[in-house]
């Protein structure tokens, strides 16, 4: 009725979102211009963790299954890259491509048991993978370097035309890969495949009856999930140019789970927020004791499941929806929340629009 | 390497480790039977109990047998407290068993870190609960540790059988395992049964942990003592069927013997890839016969 109304609530929220995204993009672009190299590399580490956790969030959010072995997929990506670059003279991008293919294939194979039974079978298989992977590396130590580790002599250098320092170039490459992956997952979620996956998670039998190709989709989502972890592992070699068997043990896999759950598997932003929070908190506690950090993260994981199953991002969303609901009901009664959120309604990331929801609303 | 004493030596080593895996698999099966859940922290809880045993024996000077019993008692309480404190609140979580898996992974990380924080990562030496005697039978060395491990497993199995089949408590636990709702209607205290189930599993895990530390030459152990063992035990429970105690024992022995033969007779596996035999077993059983050898087939009602 009034002029303000010509802008529909949907468009208004899109504009706000666009504004925030632009601001975020500016910050992301400016970080390497204004920070010390060591801090820039810290952000690279955070983005690598976010990339790996993104794969995990995709898996938990979509298939309702959990992997305790994503550290191993990260390792597969890292070792593929390191061996190809160091011993076979491949270029970095080609080696990354091979790493991505290798981790996807490994993920699809380990995901096969998930076809037979639901529930915790996949967790079991991936637990085995997490324990076996470092042993495989140790067994073939003449190729992998074993526990001593393997160094990659080739530097990851910025091309001349960029006129950038190596750390800045690494930062932008990592940011671009992460951004592209986030976009890919976001679009996948909203596609036909994404809806099929949600249908499988919520009721497998019903989905199959409706013509969703359950087997293919399940293997696909596990392969994709492993692919992102493998990509993260590959990028981590750009950064450290070093791989060692002990770096890819079960603790890394569990830390990735912590990151995915801290951020929240319900949203695309979750892994990024989770990685940032995890990295900062770990740095904070690690000065005192590495062991204490593990205890804290163990407790945090348990408390999250108990109290805030949708993680920091989900929790913030609910909080925000509540604030908005209060605000609108103060201004005038009867006006409902445009996003359908609010304290009584479901948060706006539940299954209806095809987004992952994971722990916040699993199969009944 | 194809002489007969070597064969029997490998077999005996397999049986020794098999007893450990059978023990830990029993703990996993007890939890699964009472609550339908997999406790991924079972191995780490057992590792923590080994440190408790060490604390009682080596630091506070209790005889090792007594220290072991004290640690079993403490672990029972620990398991029960964990069930009440963190497992029960999530057992009716909308995400179902996944929530408990995540919680048990949190426990895994927490116990591993706590042991490292309290006792360090450099490792300790557990006083051997078995005498250092070795009998020579036709060129095969039979150590007291091997005989002791098998005896302890046998005692454990008989005690559990007695508990489950001959006592009212065991009857209640079996009732809860078959149907929570029906048992509640029949007046069984479901909560207490779950509490006892988790406590019992932690106690049985303590047995497995100390046996594992005793099986390693030199009895040295550190916070990573049970990480590999957990995979073997899961392989045992998968092979036997998660709801079958008999399956856990048979599975444990099969996995232990398979491990030792793969390690000693297949050159490219060796000690590095021995744990891969358990991983392969898990994958194959899940693909071919998900219910295991002795388990019941789960029927989904549509």
């Amino acid at each position: 009725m009034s002029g303000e109304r010509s802008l529909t609530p949907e468009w208004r929220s899109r504009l706000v979102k666009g504004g925030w995204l632009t601001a975020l993009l500016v910050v992301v672009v400016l970080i390497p211009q204004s920070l010390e190299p060591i801090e820039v590399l810290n952000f690279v580490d955070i983005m690598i963790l976010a990339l790996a956790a993104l794969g995990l969030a995709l898996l938990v959010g979509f298939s309702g299954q959990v992997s305790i072995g994503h550290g191993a997929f990260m390792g597969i990506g890292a070792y593929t890259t390191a061996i190809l670059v160091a011993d076979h003279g491949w270029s970095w991008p080609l080696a990354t491509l091979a790493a991505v293919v290798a981790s996807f294939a490994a993920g699809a194979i380990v995901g096969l048991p998930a076809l037979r039974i639901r529930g915790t079978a996949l967790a079991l298989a991936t637990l085995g993978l997490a324990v076996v992977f470092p042993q495989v590396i140790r067994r073939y130590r003449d190729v992998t370097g074993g526990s001593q580790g393997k160094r990659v002599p080739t530097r990851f250098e910025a091309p001349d035309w960029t006129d950038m320092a190596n750390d800045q170039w690494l930062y932008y490459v990592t940011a671009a890969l992460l951004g592209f992956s986030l976009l890919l997952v976001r679009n996948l979620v909203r596609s036909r495949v994404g809806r099929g996956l949600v249908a499988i998670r919520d009721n497998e039998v019903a989905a199959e009856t409706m013509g969703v190709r359950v087997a293919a989709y399940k293997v696909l989502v596990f392969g994709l999930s492993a692919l992102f972890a493998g990509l993260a592992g590959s990028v981590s070699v750009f950064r450290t140019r070093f791989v060692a068997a002990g770096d890819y043990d079960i603790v890394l896999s569990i830390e990735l789970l912590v990151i995915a759950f801290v951020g929240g598997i319900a949203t695309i932003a979750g892994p990024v927020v989770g990685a940032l929070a995890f990295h900062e908190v770990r740095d904070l506690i690690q000065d005192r004791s590495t062991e204490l950090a593990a205890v804290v993260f163990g407790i945090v994981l348990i408390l999250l499941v108990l109290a805030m199953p949708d993680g920091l991002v989900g929790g913030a969303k609910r909080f925000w929806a509540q604030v908005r609901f209060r605000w609108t009901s103060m201004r005038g009664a009867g006006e409902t929340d445009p996003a359908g959120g609010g304290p009584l309604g479901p948060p706006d990331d539940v299954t209806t629009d095809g987004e992952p929801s994971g722990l916040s609303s699993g199969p009944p | 390497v194809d002489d007969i004493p070597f064969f029997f030596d490998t077999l005996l080593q397999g049986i020794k480790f098999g007893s450990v895996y059978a023990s830990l698999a029993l703990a996993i099966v007890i939890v699964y039977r009472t609550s339908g859940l997999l406790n991924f922290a079972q191995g780490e809880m057992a590792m923590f109990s080994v440190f408790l045993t060490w604390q009682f024996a080596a630091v506070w000077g209790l005889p090792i047998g007594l220290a072991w019993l004290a640690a079993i008692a403490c672990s029972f309480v620990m398991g029960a407290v964990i069930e009440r404190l963190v497992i029960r609140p999530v057992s009716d979580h909308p995400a179902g068993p996944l929530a408990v898996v995540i919680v048990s992974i949190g426990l895994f990380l927490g116990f591993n870190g706590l042991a490292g924080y309290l006792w360090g990562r450099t490792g300790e030496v557990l006083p051997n609960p078995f005498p250092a005697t070795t009998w020579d039978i036709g060129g095969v060395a039979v150590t007291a540790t091997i005989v002791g491990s098998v005896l302890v497993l046998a005692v454990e199995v008989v005690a559990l059988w007695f508990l489950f089949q001959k006592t009212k408590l065991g009857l209640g636990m079996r009732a809860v395992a078959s149907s929570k709702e029906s048992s509640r209607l029949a007046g069984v205290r479901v909560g207490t049964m779950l509490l006892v189930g988790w406590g019992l599993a932690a106690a049985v895990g303590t047995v497995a942990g100390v046996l594992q530390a005793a099986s390693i030459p030199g009895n040295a152990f550190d916070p990573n003592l049970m990480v590999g063992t957990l995979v073997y035990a899961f392989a045992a429970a998968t092979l036997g069927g998660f709801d079958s105690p008999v399956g856990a024992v048979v599975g444990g022995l099969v996995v232990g013997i398979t491990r030792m033969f793969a390690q000693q007779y297949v050159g490219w596996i060796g000690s590095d890839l021995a744990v891969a035999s358990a991983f392969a077993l898990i994958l194959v059983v899940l693909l071919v016969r998900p219910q295991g050898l002795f388990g019941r087939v789960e029927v989904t009602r549509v």
Side-chain angles (χ1 to χ4, degrees):
Chain A
M1 284 157 243
S2 63
E4 194 196 341
R5 279 295 168 90
S6 62
L7 209 59
T8 60
E10 192 188 342
W11 267 102
R12 203 165 51 196
S13 83
R14 270 189 196 178
L15 272 180
V16 171
K17 257 188 190 167
W20 279 111
L21 273 179
T22 315
L24 188 69
L25 204 64
V26 170
V27 172
V28 167
V29 168
L30 285 182
I31 279 177
Q33 305 297 337
S34 49
L35 291 180
E36 295 292 314
I38 181 77
E39 285 166 333
V40 173
L41 291 179
N42 260 338
F43 274 100
V44 171
D45 287 339
I46 290 169
M47 291 191 290
I48 290 169
L49 289 176
L51 204 49
L54 175 69
L56 204 48
L58 181 71
L59 179 72
V60 181
F62 277 117
S63 68
Q65 305 242 27
V66 62
S67 161
I68 319 178
H70 261 50
F73 294 121
M74 230 179 134
I76 289 173
Y79 272 96
T80 309
T81 310
I83 291 169
L84 287 178
V85 172
D87 300 344
H88 300 275
W90 287 39
S91 67
W92 289 107
L94 263 183
T96 300
L97 202 66
V100 161
V101 172
S103 45
F104 179 85
I109 291 168
V110 179
L112 282 177
L115 300 178
R116 282 300 299 264
I117 30 176
R118 287 180 61 81
T120 40
L122 192 64
L124 200 59
T126 52
L127 169 84
L129 181 72
V131 175
V132 166
F133 180 76
Q135 293 304 110
V136 174
I137 297 301
R138 289 189 182 105
R139 170 68 184 77
Y140 298 100
R141 58 180 72 78
D142 38 338
V143 184
T144 61
S147 300
Q148 305 296 311
K150 184 185 193 70
R151 193 159 284 290
V152 183
T154 322
R155 286 186 163 280
F156 185 75
E157 281 174 329
D160 290 335
W161 55 265
T162 56
D163 200 31
M164 278 186 218
N166 287 346
D167 61 287
Q168 291 174 323
W169 174 243
L170 176 61
Y171 174 93
Y172 285 122
V173 168
T174 314
L177 284 173
L178 177 62
F180 178 73
S181 303
L182 288 171
L183 210 65
L184 197 75
V185 169
R186 176 182 166 275
N187 289 345
L188 181 81
V189 165
R190 298 176 178 186
S191 72
R192 179 193 164 88
V193 177
R195 286 193 301 273
L197 288 170
V198 170
I200 292 171
R201 186 201 59 208
D202 291 344
N203 190 334
E204 195 171 320
V205 180
E208 187 140 37
T209 318
M210 298 296 288
V212 177
R213 291 160 61 199
V214 173
Y217 277 20
K218 272 184 156 182
V219 173
L220 177 78
V221 74
F222 200 74
L224 272 180
S225 160
L227 180 151
F228 287 117
L231 181 62
S234 182
V235 176
S236 76
V237 180
F238 296 1
R239 151 97 168 87
T240 55
R241 297 194 291 125
F242 180 75
V243 279
D247 293 348
Y248 301 96
D249 60 356
I250 188 165
V251 173
L252 173 67
S253 297
I254 295 179
E255 283 176 349
L256 291 177
L257 269 175
V258 173
I259 294 171
F261 275 89
V262 164
I265 41 181
T267 52
I268 300 297
V272 181
V273 174
L276 190 69
F278 174 84
H279 193 269
E280 295 311 303
V281 171
R282 188 179 56 180
D283 272 8
L284 211 68
I285 313 173
Q286 222 159 29
D287 290 343
R288 296 172 56 91
S289 160
T290 323
E291 307 292 355
L292 207 57
V295 178
V296 168
F297 286 126
I299 293 171
V300 164
L301 193 57
I302 294 168
L303 288 182
L304 274 174
V305 176
L306 285 174
M308 207 200 283
D310 42 1
L312 286 180
V313 173
K317 267 193 173 179
R318 268 184 295 143
F319 178 75
W320 180 238
Q322 200 154 350
V323 169
R324 242 183 355 188
F325 181 78
R326 290 264 163 81
W327 176 246
T328 45
S329 48
M330 258 193 328
R331 282 205 315 190
E335 221 181 315
T336 47
D337 189 4
L344 302 174
D348 48 28
D349 49 35
V350 282
T351 54
T352 44
D353 56 351
E355 285 208 32
S357 75
L359 276 194
S360 54
S361 70
Chain B
V1 272
D2 53 356
D3 55 331
I4 290 171
F6 185 76
F7 175 87
F8 280 105
D9 196 51
T10 308
L11 184 67
L12 285 177
Q13 293 292 324
I15 291 173
K16 181 180 75 177
F17 281 109
S19 312
V20 179
Y21 307 151
S23 243
L24 194 61
L26 270 175
I28 290 166
V29 165
I30 291 171
V31 165
Y32 188 85
R33 273 179 65 101
T34 48
S35 56
L37 306 163
L38 295 187
N39 179 11
F40 286 92
Q42 200 77 63
E44 295 313 282
M45 287 163 65
M47 174 275 296
F48 197 82
S49 305
V50 176
F51 268 106
L52 283 182
T53 312
W54 175 83
Q55 182 79 24
F56 289 141
V59 181
W60 295 336
L62 283 184
I64 178 67
L66 211 58
W68 197 359
L69 287 178
I72 289 174
C74 290
S75 305
F76 181 90
V77 176
M78 179 178 80
V81 168
I82 285 174
E83 195 280 330
R84 189 66 194 87
L85 222 55
V86 296
I87 301 297
R88 200 175 302 175
V90 295
S91 57
D92 52 355
H93 200 283
L98 187 65
V100 183
V101 170
I102 300 296
V103 167
S104 76
I105 289 167
L107 287 172
F108 184 111
L109 194 60
F111 272 112
N112 193 292
L114 192 61
Y117 183 66
L118 293 176
W119 292 292
R121 295 228 160 241
T122 45
E124 303 292 351
V125 173
L126 189 75
N128 199 335
F130 306 111
T133 327
T134 301
W135 298 279
D136 188 320
I137 301 176
V140 180
V142 182
T143 63
T145 306
I146 297 174
V147 178
S149 299
V150 174
L151 283 180
V152 167
L153 177 67
V155 169
E156 204 174 39
V157 167
V158 171
L160 285 175
W161 175 83
F162 186 82
L163 177 73
F164 277 108
Q165 302 296 333
K166 298 288 169 189
T167 66
K168 204 171 172 204
L169 183 69
L171 183 66
M173 291 173 72
R174 282 190 291 141
V176 172
S178 93
S179 168
K180 265 188 200 138
E181 280 72 27
S182 313
S183 345
R184 190 168 281 130
L185 286 175
V188 177
R189 289 171 180 271
V190 174
T192 311
M193 296 303 143
L194 293 177
L195 198 84
V196 172
W198 276 73
L200 207 59
V204 170
T206 312
V207 175
V210 171
L211 286 183
Q212 170 71 15
S215 298
I216 300 168
N219 303 340
F221 68 101
D222 64 26
N224 290 329
L225 176 74
M226 299 303 275
V227 175
T229 310
L230 181 70
V231 176
Y232 288 114
F234 267 127
T238 313
L239 181 64
F242 276 101
D243 52 359
S244 162
V246 179
V249 174
V250 174
L253 292 172
V254 170
V255 168
I257 293 169
T258 310
R259 175 214 157 151
M260 284 317 292
F261 275 94
Q263 188 171 327
Q264 302 289 17
Y265 281 85
V266 188
W268 61 270
I269 291 183
S271 57
D272 279 337
L273 283 189
V275 70
S277 67
F279 175 53
L281 196 72
I282 291 178
L283 285 187
V284 169
V285 175
L286 285 183
L287 279 170
V288 178
R289 197 181 157 85
Q291 73 274 25
L293 294 179
F294 301 90
R296 263 177 321 183
V297 183
E298 245 175 82
V299 182
T300 315
R301 194 174 294 174
V302 178

